[in-house]
Structure formats: C-alpha cells, structure tokens
Amino acid sequence: MALPLILIIVLLVGYPALFSIHMATLNKSMERFVGFENFTFLFSRETFWMVVRQSVVFAVTAVVFKALIGFCVAHFVHNIPAKGQRKWRGMLLVPWVIPPAMSTLAWLWLFDPSYSAFNWILEGVGIAPVNWLGDPNWARFAVILVNVWFGAPFFMIMYLAALKSVPEQLYEAAAIDGANWWQKLWYVTLPMMRNIIAITVLFSLIVTFANFDIVRVLTAGGPVDQTHVFATWAFKLGIESSDLPLGAAVSLFMFPILAIAAIFILRDINQRGNEA
Amino acid sequence: MAVARTSMKGDRRKAMIWSYVFLGMFVVFFLTPPVYMLITSLKSNAEISAAVSPWWIFAPTLENYVELLSSPTYLTFFRNSALVSILVVTITMLVSIPAAFALSRMKFWGSATLATGVFLTYLIPETLLFIPLFKIFVFVHDLTGIELINRWWVLVILYPTLTVPFCTWIMIGYFGSIPKELDEAALIDGAGYLQILTKIFIPVALPGIIAATIFAFTVSWAQFLYPLAFTTSADQLVLPVGIITTLIRGDVFTWGQIMTGALLGAAPPLIIYAFLMDYYIAGLTAGATKG
C-alpha cells in the first residue's frame, strides 16, 4: 500500500537529489566530466560570495524577526478575551494564506519606483522618497521585510497553539511565589515552549534559506545580482542561462544547512517518540 | 490584599488594552498588501497614473475584472491551475492515505525507515530539485519521445513531491491516534484491511483528511518555481506564472489588471481558508506537533 509513496520518493526526490550531485561535476553541455571545476569556478567569482552572504543574512534576519514578531503577536492574541481571539487570529493569518507569488506582486506595486504608495505617505510627512528596489541596501531590506510579512503569521499560529497548551496552574503557582511577568515568561512560558520554538525556527530556516518566490518576483536578484539567494541564482544560471550543471552546483550549497537542520529536527522527533 | 487584587486586575486590563493596540498595528501591517490589491483593482488605468492619493478610490470601476474575466488567456490560466490542483489533490490523497495506513498499522521490514524517509523528503525544498528534474525530463524525451517540458500536466507529476510527504506524515499522526482496539474489534468481526481503512480509519480521521486536502490544494495552487521552470507557452501556464509573465509586458505594467489578476488568483485559497479556518490551522500545527 505504500508502494506509490516509495516510487514518488525514490524517483522524483531521491534520484534527482543524487543526480544533481553528479550533474554538478559535468561541463555545460553535460558531455564531459570536469570534477570540481564548476565549484572552483564559483569560488573564484565575486557574485558567488555575495550570494552566500546574502542567503545567510536573508535567512537568519528573516527567521529571527519572524520568530520575534510571531512570539509577540501570539502573546497579544492570548491576552485578549477568548471570544474575540478567533476573529483576530483569522485576520492575522491572511498573509500566510495568499500564494506568495501573488502577494509579492502587491509589494512590488507598493514599492513601485514612480507610483510607490509608501513614498506617497513619506512625501506627505515631508520625507524624501526612497528608491525601494533600486538601491541595493533598500532592496535587501525589502526582500527581508516581505519574507517576514509572509512568515510571521505562521510563527504566530504555532506559538499561540503552544501558549494554549501551557497549564494555567503553572502561572498561578508562579504568581503565588511572587513572580513578575518577566519571570513568568522566562521560567514558565519559554521552557514550556522550548520544543515548539526550536522546531518552528528550524523549519522556517530551511524554507527561508531555500526561498525562491519572493526574491524572484520582487527583485529577480537585482539590482545587479545584489539580492540573489541560492535558489534564484541557481534558476538564473541553470534555466535562464541554460548552464544546468553550474545551476545544480549552486543549488547544492543549500544542502549543508538543510542536513544540519534535518538532523536536529529528527533528533527532537525521536526523543519525543521515546518519551511517549 | 484587596488593593493587591484590584491592582492585578488593573494590570490585566492594561495588558489587554495594549494588546489591542499592538494587534491593531500588526493587522494593519499584515493586511496592507491585500487591501492595496483590492484598492488598485477597483481603479481605472487613468486614475492609477494620476497624481492623486494611491490609498483612495475616487472613481470605483469594475473594468479590470470585466476585462480579465473575459480574456481567454486569463481564463486558460485559471483552468490550468484548477485542473492541476484538483488532480494533484486526488493523487495525493490516493497515495498518502493508504501509505499512512500501512505505516501506522502494518509493521513491515523498513517501515520505520520509510516513515523517517517521508519526513526527510518533506524537508527537501523544490529549489534543490528543479534543475536535476529538468534534465531528467529532457532525458526522458530523448529516450521515449514523450515531451514533458512545457506541458501543463507535467506539473501533476511534479507537485505530489511537495504534497505527498507532508500529507502522509500528518495522516500517520492522525491514524496513530486511533485506538488499536477499534481495528482489533473489526478484525475479530472478520473485516479485511481494506474494510478497516474505509469503514474505520477514513471516517474517524476525517478532520485530518480535510486538513491534508486543504494543504495539498493550497500548495498546488501557490506553487511558482516548477511552472516557471517547466512551462513557457501561454496556453500551458498556471495562474501565478501566467500573471507575472503575460500581464507584465516588458516595462509596461498594467497595475490595475495585475492586481486584479493576483487578487482573483489569491481568492480560492482565501475562500477555503475563510470557510474551513479550523481545519486549515489544524493542518498547519499538525506538521510540527504530531511528530
């Protein structure tokens, strides 16, 4: 009964994953084995190191802010009376529901060089317009902002579920012992949520590190390749410039972080499996 | 004591008011892009390029909607998206429900490894796979003559790699929570595995199946990288790629139409979410907590 599942995993995931390693050792027309030439070529290019840096900065900054905002918003929702929570939660999850390629178009239009609705507000309060996607630093800020906007609601939902599972007695006991809100947060909430925080951060790190949609639609890697992450650069080299092996080599650099995150997640799951 | 209690109540009240204030701010942040999509979609091109407030509609019009919904190209994107998503959901369910049943109940050789494998597959992003898959499809064409590139139905082959692992994984969780006594009782009554699956597991785990279905649908509807890499001609495109490649012509951005197209493209998942929010959220949280 599990045969179709095995076929999908082996033929459409396992085989391509291994094949991409083989591909990365071939020349552009894929007729000749070149060993590590693709990699040494990448290492010699400045753009590659820029992409490495941008991928790391993009993923780490975005995940940190998603986690922080998600954590705060989950607390705000948790603080209000139970009967209103559903409505707020419903509105707050909307960014996660809209397909990212579609919502990023809205952001692209909000950042438009000549009609930017944000600049219109800025001008209204007397601030010079910002070249959101044309200036490299603002463009880097913009892709991170959109990613945080898209991902924070997911963290909010996960943390809210975790908050609800913390037994009320623990807070009562802490209150009797004279704990202030900070101590309650540090000694009760955070330890109880440790697992869920770890696993959502790891998940999100994987997804954000491998992000494609947002960067592709918002900046397509520009200006001058400054906002490329591994996935968008691999697409540009592999599909648009039809150098598939080089694209495969670039995308393989996503693998180490994936493997590390996967090991941690699996360890956590096994531990919980043993406890149960 | 009485003073302490009222001050605690006061603290609660203060925390609540501040929570509302901050929630309001975050709702504005989270809802600005979709609301702005709606605003722009209701404007004429003349108004969009006029030097008036972009945040207000002075002369609301439905012309963008009329134009898009009567455009055969846009309707083709919509049809392709709907076809792909429905087929992918069907395949996903047909594959992952029996597989999850087998993995949660029949202990066979390698079943534990397979369960871990399913989870690992879920962690492998499509951005790692699209290049080798592209080349493999070219090989398949050279070997068998079947053209796989630039055909909308090839997405039906590709998307299950994104949906099946996660759906199987959460279904294993839901099936695992069904008490063993239920299927033992059914076995004693002479039921076979198929009957146990259809008469007990599927009805009991229906909320999980609905959550998995919603997940599979939203993932297929939103997927952007595979169609961008694998399909190119206008009649083969799905919505996300179609809007981006055909409505943006060179440097000419018809923003009214783009926003209308994007909003209509976002509508199916939003509608599902509005009506089945609890299942949607159950599916979201199950992935990380059911493990």
Side-chain angles (χ1 to χ4, degrees):
Chain A
M1 284 173 115
L3 190 67
L5 170 80
I6 299 171
L7 284 178
I8 288 177
I9 292 182
V10 171
L11 290 181
L12 290 170
V13 180
Y15 172 57
L18 294 177
F19 184 62
S20 70
I21 300 173
H22 172 63
M23 265 177 93
T25 62
L26 300 174
N27 71 338
K28 185 173 176 181
S29 55
M30 297 195 59
E31 286 152 340
R32 195 163 51 84
F33 179 78
V34 295
F36 289 108
E37 237 170 70
N38 281 322
F39 293 96
T40 48
F41 173 73
L42 284 176
F43 291 151
S44 71
R45 284 187 62 181
E46 220 175 291
T47 317
F48 172 75
W49 296 108
M50 205 165 67
V51 171
V52 173
R53 208 173 50 230
Q54 172 63 11
S55 296
V56 173
V57 171
F58 172 77
V60 173
T61 322
V63 171
V64 166
F65 278 99
K66 281 190 267 194
L68 279 176
I69 292 178
F71 191 79
C72 295
V73 177
H75 270 91
F76 298 144
V77 176
H78 193 61
N79 276 345
I80 67 171
K83 67 176 192 305
Q85 287 184 8
R86 217 183 122 80
K87 191 180 65 192
W88 286 95
R89 195 185 59 175
M91 287 193 287
L92 291 164
L93 195 61
V94 165
W96 180 261
V97 181
I98 304 175
M102 308 282 93
S103 53
T104 310
L105 276 175
W107 283 101
L108 183 64
W109 172 221
L110 283 162
F111 288 138
D112 188 84
S114 28
Y115 296 101
S116 168
F118 289 143
N119 282 345
W120 188 84
I121 295 177
L122 289 182
E123 271 174 69
V125 293
I127 301 173
V130 173
N131 189 3
W132 295 103
L133 302 175
D135 177 83
N137 285 325
W138 279 112
R140 290 190 188 115
F141 167 79
V143 286
I144 292 171
L145 176 77
V146 176
N147 195 285
V148 169
W149 172 85
F150 170 68
F154 171 71
F155 279 81
M156 186 268 296
I157 283 293
M158 301 301 284
Y159 291 167
L160 191 60
L163 272 179
K164 300 241 177 272
S165 69
V166 181
E168 193 61 31
Q169 292 98 307
L170 291 182
Y171 291 110
E172 283 163 14
I176 289 168
D177 290 343
N180 57 26
W181 74 268
W182 170 250
Q183 287 167 321
K184 283 185 202 167
L185 181 73
W186 193 254
Y187 293 108
V188 181
T189 316
L190 281 178
M192 291 300 285
M193 287 175 67
R194 210 189 61 205
N195 265 335
I196 203 86
I197 291 177
I199 218 156
T200 36
V201 166
L202 285 170
F203 265 119
S204 178
L205 205 56
I206 293 181
V207 178
T208 314
F209 205 70
N211 181 276
F212 176 81
D213 302 13
I214 291 172
V215 178
R216 172 74 200 183
V217 176
L218 203 61
T219 66
V224 218
D225 295 339
Q226 308 244 23
T227 55
H228 266 309
V229 289
F230 284 124
T232 53
W233 203 44
F235 185 90
K236 190 186 168 192
L237 293 175
I239 305 289
E240 290 182 329
S241 318
S242 24
D243 192 339
L244 287 168
L246 197 62
V250 170
S251 65
L252 279 179
F253 281 94
M254 284 186 277
F255 195 72
I257 184 124
L258 277 175
I260 295 168
I263 289 168
F264 277 107
I265 294 177
L266 278 179
R267 213 182 57 177
D268 175 79
I269 284 170
N270 282 336
Q271 271 173 1
R272 275 197 278 171
N274 293 340
E275 280 161 19
Chain B
M1 190 63 205
V3 177
R5 187 170 292 169
T6 45
S7 91
M8 225 170 100
K9 244 187 178 170
D11 280 352
R12 273 260 167 96
R13 230 186 115 69
K14 221 164 45 185
M16 208 175 80
I17 291 170
W18 279 111
S19 295
Y20 277 120
V21 171
F22 283 114
L23 279 178
M25 280 163 48
F26 277 109
V27 164
V28 170
F29 172 52
F30 284 159
L31 293 187
T32 296
V35 168
Y36 195 57
M37 275 166 139
L38 182 68
I39 292 177
T40 307
S41 74
L42 294 170
K43 288 185 182 188
S44 64
N45 281 332
E47 191 182 332
I48 289 171
S49 46
V52 289
S53 168
W55 297 98
W56 189 254
I57 313 164
F58 294 94
T61 163
L62 285 174
E63 64 181 43
N64 291 317
Y65 288 86
V66 174
E67 203 165 323
L68 269 190
L69 292 175
S70 58
S71 135
T73 351
Y74 188 78
L75 292 176
T76 312
F77 302 155
F78 217 95
R79 194 207 61 192
N80 288 347
S81 264
L83 266 176
V84 169
S85 303
I86 290 167
L87 287 172
V88 170
V89 167
T90 317
I91 292 173
T92 306
M93 288 304 130
L94 288 177
V95 173
S96 59
I97 291 176
F101 178 63
L103 284 172
S104 65
R105 278 305 194 262
M106 307 171 197
K107 293 281 171 262
F108 52 91
W109 183 82
S111 61
T113 320
L114 185 58
T116 315
V118 168
F119 189 71
L120 279 180
T121 320
Y122 167 54
L123 295 181
I124 297 181
E126 75 272 23
T127 38
L128 201 62
L129 298 176
F130 73 101
I131 289 177
L133 280 169
F134 192 88
K135 192 64 203 174
I136 290 169
F137 285 179
V138 173
F139 278 148
V140 170
H141 177 235
D142 292 346
L143 280 177
T144 63
I146 304 169
E147 181 62 88
L148 292 165
I149 308 285
N150 198 16
R151 298 285 181 273
W152 66 265
W153 48 264
V154 84
L155 303 175
V156 179
I157 303 172
L158 288 169
Y159 288 4
T161 60
L162 306 165
T163 55
V164 165
F166 183 78
C167 290
T168 310
W169 181 251
I170 63 169
M171 289 316 300
I172 292 175
Y174 277 103
F175 284 168
S177 65
I178 296 175
K180 281 225 165 57
E181 288 77 14
L182 267 181
D183 30 321
E184 279 161 11
L187 273 176
I188 290 168
D189 290 343
Y193 271 126
L194 194 67
Q195 273 179 308
I196 294 179
L197 177 62
T198 54
K199 297 254 162 68
I200 298 175
F201 275 63
I202 291 178
V204 172
L206 198 62
I209 293 176
I210 296 175
T213 310
I214 295 174
F215 172 84
F217 179 83
T218 46
V219 165
S220 334
W221 191 270
Q223 175 49 225
F224 179 61
L225 170 60
Y226 280 147
L228 188 67
F230 287 85
T231 53
T232 43
S233 25
D235 59 330
Q236 305 294 329
L237 296 179
V238 290
L239 261 179
V241 178
I243 292 171
I244 284 166
T245 55
T246 62
L247 290 184
I248 300 174
R249 297 182 197 89
D251 283 335
V252 186
F253 288 71
T254 43
W255 279 112
Q257 276 194 33
I258 295 173
M259 287 299 103
T260 313
L263 199 63
L264 289 173
L270 277 173
I271 292 168
I272 290 176
Y273 168 67
F275 285 101
L276 300 168
M277 191 164 86
D278 293 320
Y279 292 109
Y280 190 100
I281 290 173
L284 265 188
T285 44
T289 50
K290 275 269 165 6

mmCIF file of all heavy atoms in Angstrom, chain A residues 38 85 180 213:
data_model
loop_
_atom_site.group_PDB
_atom_site.id
_atom_site.type_symbol
_atom_site.label_atom_id
_atom_site.label_comp_id
_atom_site.label_asym_id
_atom_site.label_seq_id
_atom_site.Cartn_x
_atom_site.Cartn_y
_atom_site.Cartn_z
ATOM 1 N N ASN A 38 33.367 23.191 -11.745
ATOM 2 C CA ASN A 38 32.241 24.110 -11.530
ATOM 3 C C ASN A 38 32.380 24.820 -10.190
ATOM 4 O O ASN A 38 32.097 26.005 -10.069
ATOM 5 C CB ASN A 38 30.916 23.350 -11.549
ATOM 6 C CG ASN A 38 30.475 23.042 -12.967
ATOM 7 O OD1 ASN A 38 30.647 23.861 -13.860
ATOM 8 N ND2 ASN A 38 29.922 21.858 -13.156
ATOM 9 N N GLN A 85 -10.659 36.173 20.112
ATOM 10 C CA GLN A 85 -9.385 35.691 19.571
ATOM 11 C C GLN A 85 -9.507 35.133 18.161
ATOM 12 O O GLN A 85 -8.641 35.344 17.327
ATOM 13 C CB GLN A 85 -8.814 34.615 20.501
ATOM 14 C CG GLN A 85 -8.275 35.190 21.787
ATOM 15 C CD GLN A 85 -7.620 34.130 22.648
ATOM 16 O OE1 GLN A 85 -7.439 32.995 22.236
ATOM 17 N NE2 GLN A 85 -7.276 34.506 23.866
ATOM 18 N N ASN A 180 7.141 38.074 38.815
ATOM 19 C CA ASN A 180 6.574 39.125 37.967
ATOM 20 C C ASN A 180 6.410 38.590 36.551
ATOM 21 O O ASN A 180 6.780 37.438 36.261
ATOM 22 C CB ASN A 180 7.445 40.386 38.012
ATOM 23 C CG ASN A 180 8.879 40.114 37.591
ATOM 24 O OD1 ASN A 180 9.129 39.174 36.827
ATOM 25 N ND2 ASN A 180 9.817 40.894 38.082
ATOM 26 N N ASP A 213 10.279 32.302 -4.419
ATOM 27 C CA ASP A 213 9.176 33.128 -4.927
ATOM 28 C C ASP A 213 9.377 34.612 -4.659
ATOM 29 O O ASP A 213 9.272 35.440 -5.568
ATOM 30 C CB ASP A 213 7.848 32.713 -4.282
ATOM 31 C CG ASP A 213 7.536 31.264 -4.520
ATOM 32 O OD1 ASP A 213 8.438 30.539 -4.965
ATOM 33 O OD2 ASP A 213 6.397 30.846 -4.257
#
